[in-house]
């Protein structure tokens, strides 16, 4: 007998891993597997890939997944901007390029969920926080979700019981929740969600590809350096400022801008954590003669004049001596 099967506790740290106990149970005896979990991640199917074919049939009850919740029209309208921003942040601006392992995890999850003998429901009456793994002769109850973290990496605790009365009692408990009207079938919706990830087979429209490319290039979050700014930008000006800042911070050497957008970029440049050193004033602003008084007044008003030098463009003739204007780290042309 596998010694892991005799262990009454698993914790992924000092004791056997939850995944090892599940694998040992399924290797010892094929049969039905019922799971209740607060959360689910494709990584779990990669962890259990070697034994999931022995779990037939399989039923998974999700405690609640907000992304699968059907929203009212009012809620959809209220949350549209936040949901769009979150989607871009998580799906379109990855911290690094996707790895082959991540693609494999999604592929394995899709392959498992498409099986005819796999069912998945989501609990819709509040959040069902329970985590349990119910096998033919064994049950495990504890804190481990159906994720790679819960099965292998996190500090969890799961107690395993083999006495028939406990197994039958927990199976009856699961059946009561599974058959409740609050448990709604969500298998097709989860498959669609996985298909729409970077690794799925969903065919995005040219417009959706454009939106993802723009989000990846320019970002959507307000730079922290602007939180203390004393001036207000219109929403369309903020959009331009964020894009320019992202370009500058990622190595661009120039950009075309106008109006109050320049003020936002100057503020970010002066108050971000790091900026290039120069021998002259940090910011050189080249403007028409008529605009010089306006720029000087605005810079004084918002406490930026100390680092800026405003220069009349009309003075910069072809034979002008520009050595006094050299050394700036940022040049703004109005």
């Amino acid at each position: 007998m596998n010694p892991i099967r005799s262990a009454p506790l698993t914790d992924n740290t000092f004791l056997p891993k939850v995944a090892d106990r599940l694998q040992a149970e399924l290797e010892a005896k094929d049969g039905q597997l019922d799971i209740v979990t607060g959360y689910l991640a494709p990584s779990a199917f990669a962890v259990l890939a070697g034994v999931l074919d022995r779990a037939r049939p399989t039923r998974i009850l999700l405690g609640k997944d907000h992304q699968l919740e059907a929203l009212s029209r009012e809620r959809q309208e209220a949350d549209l901007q936040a949901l769009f921003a979150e989607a871009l942040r998580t799906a379109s601006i990855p911290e690094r390029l996707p790895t082959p392992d991540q693609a494999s995890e999604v592929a394995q999850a899709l392959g498992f969920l498409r099986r005819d003998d796999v069912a998945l429901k989501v609990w819709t009456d509040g959040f069902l926080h329970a985590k349990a793994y119910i096998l033919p002769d064994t049950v495990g109850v504890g804190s481990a979700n159906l994720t790679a973290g819960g099965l292998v990496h996190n500090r969890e605790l799961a107690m395993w019981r083999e006495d028939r009365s406990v197994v039958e009692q927990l199976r009856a408990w699961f059946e009561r929740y599974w058959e409740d009207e609050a448990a709604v079938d969500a298998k097709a919706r989860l498959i669609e969600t996985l298909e729409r990830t970077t690794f799925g087979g969903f065919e995005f429209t040219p417009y959706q590809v454009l939106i993802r490319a723009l989000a990846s290039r320019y970002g959507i979050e307000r730079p922290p350096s602007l939180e203390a700014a004393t001036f207000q930008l219109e929403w369309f000006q903020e959009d331009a400022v964020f894009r320019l800042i992202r370009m500058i911070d990622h190595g661009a050497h120039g950009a075309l801008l106008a109006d109050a957008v320049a003020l936002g970029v100057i503020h970010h440049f002066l108050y971000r954590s790091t900026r290039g050193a120069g021998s002259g004033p940090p910011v050189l602003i080249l403007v028409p003669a008529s605009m010089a008084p306006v720029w000087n007044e605005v810079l004084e008003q918002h406490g930026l004049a100390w680092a800026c030098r405003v220069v009349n463009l009309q003075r910069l003739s072809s034979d002008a001596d520009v050595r006094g204007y050299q050394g700036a780290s940022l040049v703004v042309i109005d």
Side-chain angles (χ1 to χ4, degrees):
M1 178 178 178
N2 189 326
I4 294 178
R5 292 189 66 206
S6 62
L9 297 173
T10 53
D11 73 349
N12 298 341
T13 306
F14 303 108
L15 303 169
K17 299 181 185 298
V18 177
D20 291 341
R21 180 63 188 256
L22 271 175
Q23 183 169 340
E25 293 294 339
L26 289 170
E27 287 176 343
K29 185 174 183 179
D30 297 352
Q32 181 168 328
L33 172 63
D34 291 330
I35 300 172
V36 57
T37 177
Y39 302 99
L40 178 151
S43 55
F45 301 102
V47 171
L48 299 173
V51 294
L52 281 178
D53 277 346
R54 311 188 71 160
R56 294 181 178 270
T58 300
R59 297 183 296 179
I60 301 173
L61 180 59
L62 281 175
K64 184 136 187 145
D65 186 332
H66 69 279
Q67 292 181 330
L68 297 177
E69 180 182 6
L71 302 177
S72 65
R73 180 177 179 83
E74 293 77 12
R75 174 73 179 278
Q76 285 179 330
E77 292 176 352
D79 289 356
L80 183 60
Q81 184 174 357
L83 291 173
F84 178 67
E86 180 63 21
L88 289 177
R89 182 160 45 247
T90 57
S92 301
I93 314 177
E95 294 181 358
R96 56 186 183 277
L97 290 175
T99 66
D101 288 343
Q102 291 173 311
S104 176
E105 289 170 2
V106 173
Q108 289 172 313
L110 284 169
F112 175 78
L113 291 169
R114 289 192 179 113
R115 277 176 26 190
D116 293 336
D117 59 355
V118 171
L120 184 142
K121 292 184 178 182
V122 61
W123 183 257
T124 60
D125 184 17
F127 182 41
L128 179 60
H129 202 245
K131 294 96 179 173
Y133 299 87
I134 308 170
L135 299 118
D137 301 316
T138 310
V139 295
V141 180
S143 61
N145 282 305
L146 189 59
T147 65
L151 295 174
V152 177
H153 304 300
N154 299 342
R155 292 180 174 86
E156 309 286 0
L157 183 63
M159 174 173 284
W160 298 84
R161 299 287 294 270
E162 299 178 357
D163 33 331
R164 179 174 294 275
S165 62
V166 174
V167 174
E168 293 299 327
Q169 186 176 358
L170 188 54
R171 185 173 288 117
W173 173 88
F174 179 90
E175 208 68 40
R176 189 178 301 117
Y177 275 92
W178 184 261
E179 297 299 333
D180 194 286
E181 62 181 11
V184 178
D185 180 74
K187 177 177 173 178
R189 291 159 64 193
L190 181 56
I191 289 175
E192 181 183 5
T193 299
L194 291 173
E195 281 283 8
R196 288 176 177 268
T197 66
T198 307
F199 317 107
F202 182 79
E203 294 185 2
F204 291 97
T205 65
Y207 174 76
Q208 290 169 321
V209 173
L210 172 63
I211 291 298
R212 285 171 176 257
L214 290 175
S216 179
R217 179 67 180 89
Y218 298 117
I220 57 173
E221 294 183 339
R222 180 181 178 87
S225 59
L226 292 182
E227 296 298 332
T230 59
F231 51 87
Q232 295 294 321
L233 298 171
E234 299 294 338
W235 68 267
F236 57 88
Q237 293 173 329
E238 281 199 349
D239 180 65
V241 169
F242 299 169
R243 294 184 182 193
L244 286 169
I245 287 174
R246 186 173 176 88
M247 292 172 66
I248 291 171
D249 286 349
H250 286 77
H253 297 292
L256 180 65
L257 54 87
D259 204 15
V261 171
L263 200 62
V265 175
I266 291 171
H267 189 282
H268 167 77
F269 177 79
L270 293 175
Y271 292 104
R272 65 182 180 180
S273 58
T274 58
R275 56 183 170 88
S279 58
V283 181
L284 178 66
I285 304 174
L286 307 179
V287 303
S290 61
M291 293 299 299
V294 177
W295 269 99
N296 284 319
E297 180 181 350
V298 171
L299 292 170
E300 285 286 352
Q301 180 181 351
H302 297 291
L304 301 174
W306 63 271
C308 301
R309 182 175 183 180
V310 179
V311 177
N312 183 342
L313 278 169
Q314 277 73 13
R315 294 181 179 177
L316 299 180
S317 59
S318 59
D319 57 349
D321 184 358
V322 298
R323 288 175 294 179
Y325 307 131
Q326 295 176 347
S329 298
L330 177 69
V331 178
V332 176
I333 303 175
D334 187 344

